[in-house]
Amino acid sequence: MKFSIGYQLAESMGESIVELVQDYRHDVAEVYFPWVGGASGRAALGRQRGYIDWGAQRYLEEDLIGLREQGVHLNLLFNANCYGARAVSQQLEHEVMSIIEHLGDLIDGPDSVTTTSMTIAHILKTHVPTLQVRASINMRLGTVQALRYAADLFDFFYLQRDFNRDLGHLAELKAWAEAHGKGIGLLANSGCLRFCPGQTFHDNLVAHDAEIDEQRNLPDWTPHVCWRHYRDEGNWPALLQSTWIRPEDVHHYAHLTPVIKLATRMHSHPRLVLHAYAAGRHHGNLLDLLEPAFSRIVAPAWIDNDAFPEDWFSRTSSCGAGCDRCTYCAETLAHVLRTPASDG
């Protein structure tokens, strides 16, 4: 199993991504990256509350050249959930193609592009038909019907993470994709709630992050479903009912895809995440591997990854996700949750 990891500037992650990839060259197949200042599925690279890091583009370009020299595949992100009034505009077309053309001069172009936008997929298919276009995981493509509807615009589908623990369903999606000449991918370490009702709302917030930061926002309101949900300790079993895959279980997905995506664009310690998944094991707090991590909200308690029962994967990958009728995750949480009292 190899991995696709997200780009961060060196000042954010504490080291150069070129150095990180070099240390794990046999494990990293790909790096995915946004363009500087553009809206994407995370906060804009190099821009925050009006402050622009004018060196960000130079650093990104130097890193891309260094990664290309290592033979790493490069995946460009246009994966904002919303492009506002520009969503179907010629302006957006010109912007997208100017970036593609610039990257063509810089690194002979990206190897693939991931987008949530049907418009951007159309633009790319029109102007660079040989470039692989991938459907973002944020499109929540989790049925054969959904794949079929999008098949004319996309060559590759990141599958809806909510189905990560239904291997039979994933196999059906893979079979359809292969029969139609398409590829599939999975995200291993999302901390998001399974079937979160706020995902579309949250993704739109992120897309308009620069505008929202400049507003006088409600002082006592947390718009994220997960952070509000976990304020009640009685809801903590949902931490185990989510979509993540433990490093120890990634090998079970090798028949579905040779490359697993790791969420590391906003993670505080990308090396920790990559090391755990490359090694296939993690000794410590499971939450530290996830994005978002939620380590802070349960602290000083933590989840001991070494304490999961041997039947964890077999049970959770075949249970049908009947969480309202099952107590297995709640019982497991009681077994793996560590507190200062239990540690002492």
Side-chain angles (χ1 to χ4, degrees):
M1 184 65 70
K2 292 184 180 292
F3 301 96
S4 174
I5 63 172
Y7 179 83
Q8 287 191 44
L9 292 168
E11 63 181 1
S12 298
M13 62 187 290
E15 62 177 327
S16 164
I17 194 167
V18 176
E19 297 171 351
L20 175 61
V21 170
Q22 188 172 17
D23 290 346
Y24 290 89
R25 184 61 195 89
H26 296 295
D27 303 296
V28 177
E30 178 182 88
V31 171
Y32 56 96
F33 66 98
W35 196 242
V36 176
S40 72
R42 292 291 186 272
L45 183 71
R47 184 188 297 267
Q48 185 175 23
R49 295 188 65 85
Y51 181 84
I52 299 174
D53 180 353
W54 295 105
Q57 182 164 330
R58 175 168 57 87
Y59 300 142
L60 171 63
E61 292 184 357
E62 290 173 352
D63 286 340
L64 292 177
I65 292 171
L67 292 169
R68 178 64 85 204
E69 290 173 350
Q70 293 191 49
V72 178
H73 280 220
L74 299 172
N75 174 247
L76 172 63
L77 302 178
F78 291 120
N79 66 336
N81 209 52
C82 178
Y83 287 90
R86 303 185 306 127
V88 293
S89 68
Q90 290 183 339
Q91 181 192 31
L92 181 63
E93 178 182 39
H94 296 159
E95 179 181 325
V96 167
M97 289 312 303
S98 70
I99 295 171
I100 294 292
E101 291 165 7
H102 178 67
L103 288 172
D105 294 334
L106 182 73
I107 54 171
D108 199 27
D111 297 287
S112 58
V113 172
T114 297
T115 185
T116 54
S117 167
M118 297 288 194
T119 300
I120 292 177
H122 164 72
I123 291 167
L124 296 171
K125 281 298 176 188
T126 300
H127 294 289
V128 278
T130 59
L131 181 64
Q132 185 188 66
V133 182
R134 300 181 181 179
S136 169
I137 197 167
N138 291 331
M139 293 180 70
R140 285 178 280 185
L141 303 179
T143 65
V144 167
Q145 290 93 332
L147 302 190
R148 182 181 296 117
Y149 300 152
D152 63 324
L153 293 175
F154 297 97
D155 309 299
F156 182 104
F157 306 102
Y158 281 110
L159 300 182
Q160 185 174 351
R161 59 191 169 209
D162 306 288
F163 295 107
N164 275 1
R165 297 185 184 173
D166 189 339
L167 268 65
H169 184 66
L170 294 179
E172 291 178 7
L173 299 179
K174 175 183 171 61
W176 186 93
E178 282 190 339
H180 293 81
K182 310 293 183 179
I184 65 165
L186 303 170
L187 175 65
N189 66 322
S190 170
C192 294
L193 290 167
R194 193 178 193 194
F195 294 110
C196 176
Q199 181 181 337
T200 300
F201 176 65
H202 184 195
D203 288 345
N204 283 338
L205 285 179
V206 174
H208 293 283
D209 182 68
E211 303 161 67
I212 291 169
D213 274 350
E214 299 307 319
Q215 302 300 313
R216 179 175 292 179
N217 297 311
L218 297 175
D220 300 316
W221 166 242
T222 300
H224 308 309
V225 176
C226 49
W227 288 98
R228 288 188 293 106
H229 190 66
Y230 290 136
R231 285 174 176 171
D232 181 350
E233 187 174 340
N235 292 327
W236 286 5
L239 289 165
L240 301 196
Q241 295 163 352
S242 296
T243 70
W244 44 261
I245 304 165
R246 295 171 66 225
E248 292 80 0
D249 296 328
V250 164
H251 67 278
H252 293 293
Y253 295 82
H255 67 291
L256 295 170
T257 178
V259 179
I260 291 280
K261 188 172 186 177
L262 300 177
T264 57
R265 283 181 59 199
M266 301 297 292
H267 200 282
S268 60
H269 200 339
R271 180 178 285 268
L272 173 72
V273 177
L274 178 56
H275 178 78
Y277 281 93
R281 61 184 180 277
H282 175 62
H283 305 296
N285 187 358
L286 172 70
L287 298 180
D288 289 344
L289 301 181
L290 309 182
E291 186 184 297
F294 300 118
S295 301
R296 174 165 55 90
I297 207 165
V298 305
W302 58 286
I303 293 178
D304 186 354
N305 189 56
D306 286 324
F308 276 80
E310 291 185 6
D311 67 349
W312 165 258
F313 182 81
S314 63
R315 288 283 297 270
T316 57
S317 63
S318 61
C319 65
C323 299
D324 57 327
R325 304 182 303 273
C326 178
T327 61
Y328 178 73
C329 284
E331 293 165 359
T332 300
L333 180 65
H335 181 69
V336 302
L337 190 67
R338 300 289 183 259
T339 64
S342 63
D343 292 341

